[in-house]
C-alpha cells in the first residue's frame, strides 16, 4: 500500500513538472510573431499615447509610477 | 515492488534528461531546403556542428553570419549542419538570402528543414538556438545553448581543431 501511494504521488507530481507543462523554446514560433507582442503596432501605440496625453492633460500619465493627474 | 519503483524512477529520469556531452548524436533523416535528403550518416568521418535554428528566433539570426565565416575558415573536414524548425521553408530561405547579401557569400553549409521540430524535441533543446559539436565518431563533444558571439566562435574553433 505504501509503495502504491509513493508511485501514485510520483506520477501526480511528474505530471505537474515544469518540463512537461512549460512551452519549450522550439515551440515558441507563434509567440514570436509580431502580432503577439503587447504593442504590435509601434505607430499606433505612439498615437494612443498622444491621445491619452491630451485626454488626461498630463505628460507621463500612462506610466506606472505617476498618477496621471498632471500634478506629478 | 522495488523493481517497479526502479523502473518508474529510471523512466522519469529518462523523461527529464536532455542530450548532453558524451552521448551519441541522434539519427535523423531530413530534406535540405533544396530538397536533397540527408541523414547523420551523410556526415560520417567529419566533425559536425549541428545547429537548431529558426527565422523567428532573434539569437539564431544574430549568430548565423558567424557560422558562414566559421564554415569558410574551417575547411572540408568540418561541416555545419543547420536545421531550421520553421513551419514554412520560405521564411528560412528569405532570411538566408538576406544573410547572403550581408556577407557577400552563398550559404556555405547544408540547411535542413524540420517543420515538425522532431529533432529539437529529440534533443530536448533547452534553448533556441542550440548547437551540438559532434566528433568524427558521432559522439557529442559540446552542447551550446543560446546565441554564439565572436568570442564563443573563437573558443569553438579551438575545440574543432582538437577534434579534427
Amino acid at each position: 500500500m505504501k509503495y502504491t501511494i509513493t508511485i501514485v504521488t510520483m506520477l501526480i507530481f511528474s505530471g505537474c513538472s515544469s518540463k512537461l507543462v512549460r512551452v519549450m523554446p522550439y515551440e515558441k514560433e507563434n509567440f514570436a510573431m509580431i502580432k503577439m507582442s503587447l504593442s504590435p503596432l509601434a505607430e499606433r501605440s505612439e498615437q494612443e499615447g498622444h491621445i491619452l496625453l491630451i485626454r488626461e492633460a498630463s505628460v507621463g500619465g500612462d506610466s506606472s509610477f505617476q498618477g496621471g493627474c498632471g500634478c506629478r | 515492488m522495488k523493481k517497479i519503483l526502479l523502473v518508474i524512477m529510471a523512466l522519469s529520469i529518462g523523461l527529464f534528461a536532455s542530450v548532453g556531452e558524451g552521448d551519441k548524436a541522434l539519427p535523423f533523416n531530413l530534406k535540405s531546403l533544396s530538397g536533397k535528403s540527408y541523414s547523420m550518416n551523410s556526415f560520417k568521418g567529419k566533425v559536425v556542428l549541428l545547429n537548431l535554428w529558426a527565422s523567428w528566433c532573434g539569437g539564431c539570426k544574430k549568430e548565423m553570419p558567424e557560422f558562414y565565416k566559421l564554415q569558410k575558415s574551417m575547411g572540408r573536414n568540418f561541416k555545419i549542419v543547420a536545421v531550421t524548425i520553421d513551419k514554412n521553408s520560405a521564411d528560412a530561405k528569405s532570411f538566408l538570402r538576406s544573410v547572403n547579401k550581408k556577407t557577400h557569400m552563398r550559404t556555405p553549409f547544408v540547411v535542413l528543414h524540420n517543420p515538425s521540430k522532431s529533432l529539437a524535441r529529440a534533443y530536448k533543446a533547452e534553448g533556441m538556438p542550440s548547437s551540438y559539436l559532434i566528433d568524427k565518431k558521432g559522439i557529442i563533444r559540446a552542447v551550446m545553448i543560446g546565441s554564439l558571439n565572436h568570442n564563443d566562435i573563437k573558443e569553438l574553433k579551438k575545440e574543432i581543431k582538437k577534434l579534427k
Side-chain angles (χ1 to χ4, degrees):
Chain A
M1 191 62 182
K2 232 180 182 179
Y3 286 120
T4 317
I5 292 168
T6 315
I7 291 167
V8 170
T9 315
M10 273 173 68
L11 285 172
I12 290 168
F13 279 107
S14 70
C16 301
S17 151
S18 65
K19 282 251 180 181
L20 291 172
V21 177
R22 79 175 170 127
V23 179
M24 294 303 278
Y26 48 83
E27 294 170 329
K28 293 185 177 171
E29 189 164 4
N30 293 334
F31 290 121
M33 287 177 180
I34 297 167
K35 66 180 174 188
M36 291 296 277
S37 62
L38 287 174
S39 184
L41 298 169
E43 295 87 9
R44 189 172 152 180
S45 82
E46 200 176 310
Q47 280 171 5
E48 281 174 352
H50 179 67
I51 289 164
L52 184 82
L53 188 149
I54 295 164
R55 197 178 62 205
E56 301 292 335
S58 69
V59 175
D62 54 344
S63 70
S64 58
F65 56 90
Q66 289 160 329
C69 61
C71 53
R72 296 238 194 166
Chain B
M1 200 51 146
K2 270 184 184 171
K3 276 182 186 171
I4 297 170
L5 257 175
L6 279 171
V7 170
I8 290 172
M9 280 169 82
L11 282 173
S12 55
I13 289 167
L15 188 71
F16 301 138
S18 53
V19 177
E21 287 168 28
D23 291 336
K24 210 166 167 20
L26 300 176
F28 61 78
N29 206 329
L30 298 170
K31 279 193 173 175
S32 72
L33 288 179
S34 53
K36 201 178 163 191
S37 284
Y38 287 91
S39 70
M40 196 59 216
N41 281 335
S42 315
F43 307 100
K44 215 176 180 181
K46 285 179 178 146
V47 178
V48 171
L49 182 74
L50 182 77
N51 173 242
L52 299 173
W53 72 281
S55 68
W56 47 263
C57 151
C60 310
K61 285 161 116 175
K62 209 174 164 190
E63 71 177 2
M64 195 54 83
E66 293 291 339
F67 284 156
Y68 273 53
K69 288 179 211 160
L70 180 67
Q71 180 64 78
K72 281 275 176 190
S73 65
M74 293 311 287
R76 284 186 180 178
N77 283 333
F78 168 71
K79 287 274 175 198
I80 292 177
V81 179
V83 181
T84 172
I85 58 165
D86 276 287
K87 265 186 220 163
N88 191 351
S89 66
D91 294 336
K93 283 179 188 169
S94 147
F95 167 65
L96 289 171
R97 267 197 300 273
S98 74
V99 182
N100 291 353
K101 228 177 183 182
K102 199 174 153 190
T103 55
H104 305 290
M105 284 188 223
R106 281 181 68 190
T107 315
F109 45 77
V110 179
V111 182
L112 306 177
H113 189 213
N114 184 210
S116 68
K117 301 166 181 50
S118 58
L119 200 60
R121 207 167 287 126
Y123 271 93
K124 297 186 179 78
E126 291 282 342
M128 280 295 287
S130 285
S131 301
Y132 302 85
L133 184 63
I134 300 163
D135 71 8
K136 288 176 181 177
K137 289 175 184 167
I139 307 293
I140 298 168
R141 291 294 169 202
V143 179
M144 290 146 283
I145 307 294
S147 184
L148 302 179
N149 60 28
H150 190 67
N151 289 334
D152 297 328
I153 297 280
K154 261 187 189 173
E155 290 299 312
L156 182 60
K157 270 185 184 174
K158 285 179 198 166
E159 288 296 314
I160 295 164
K161 275 177 188 164
K162 273 186 212 168
L163 295 174
K164 274 169 95 179

